[in-house]
Amino acid sequence: MRVLVLNGPNLNLLGSREPEVYGRETLADIEVLVRNRAQALGIEVAFAQSNHEGDLVDVIQAHRGWDGLILNAGAYTHTSQAIPDAISATQLLTVEVHLSNVFRREAFRHHSTISPVAWGCIVGFGFRGYLAALDLLHGRLTEGTVG
Ligand code: DQA
């Protein structure tokens, strides 16, 4: 089972970026936590981060045929058409993750172009959202169920 964990713009600054909103963990800390959980679950994970929309599309395309995608597209969540198109094109089973509870924040963060093509969305649980996404993908992929 192979899962791509993909992070978008400004998430490379986690740890120092508005820690009261996004938490004190760096992206490297989150990667270690996810890799440990993945190892326990027998999942192969790849990590990528980019501040550029086209790069995110390239990485999604390069992982066509993988079993799952955990995606925090950062601010592109609210604007991108190309990223959801890439998900539709590759048919990657996607869990959308946001560290902060976007629904408690500015109105522009309430809309996601990714949610309509995602299996589901986890918001507001900080780094734990990535771990939950991994557990959910593992459950669905091992059970072979759809819902
Ligand atoms: C975010 C929420 C987005 O609105 C914001 O632009 C981000 C991070 C989150 O993880 O809470 O960069 O995706």
Side-chain angles (χ1 to χ4, degrees):
M1 190 180 302
R2 297 180 299 176
V3 171
L4 169 65
V5 184
L6 183 57
N7 286 282
N10 299 307
L11 293 165
N12 54 315
L13 299 180
L14 285 180
S16 61
R17 175 192 181 196
E18 299 176 84
E20 65 288 357
V21 177
Y22 297 114
R24 302 207 171 277
E25 297 73 23
T26 65
L27 196 55
D29 293 336
I30 294 174
E31 180 170 346
V32 168
L33 291 166
V34 171
R35 283 196 184 282
N36 287 343
R37 181 73 131 257
Q39 195 173 16
L41 294 170
I43 299 175
E44 180 187 336
V45 284
F47 263 79
Q49 187 276 331
S50 177
N51 293 325
H52 305 280
E53 187 175 11
D55 288 348
L56 296 169
V57 170
D58 284 343
V59 174
I60 291 170
Q61 287 186 11
H63 290 80
R64 184 179 210 139
W66 280 42
D67 301 293
L69 168 65
I70 297 171
L71 174 63
N72 184 349
Y76 288 138
T77 302
H78 317 299
T79 61
S80 179
Q81 301 298 333
I83 294 171
D85 273 2
I87 293 169
S88 297
T90 56
Q91 288 291 293
L92 278 170
L93 179 62
T94 301
V95 179
E96 177 182 352
V97 170
H98 299 288
L99 294 144
S100 65
N101 182 347
V102 285
F103 299 107
R104 290 175 58 176
R105 303 181 64 197
E106 304 96 314
F108 80 87
R109 297 186 203 275
H110 300 179
H111 175 71
S112 165
T113 64
I114 293 171
S115 294
V117 297
W119 176 32
C121 183
I122 299 171
V123 304
F125 295 102
F127 72 88
R128 293 180 185 82
Y130 292 86
L131 301 175
L134 202 59
D135 287 343
L136 288 163
L137 283 169
H138 180 261
R140 173 159 163 178
L141 292 166
T142 53
E143 289 157 13
T145 51
V146 172

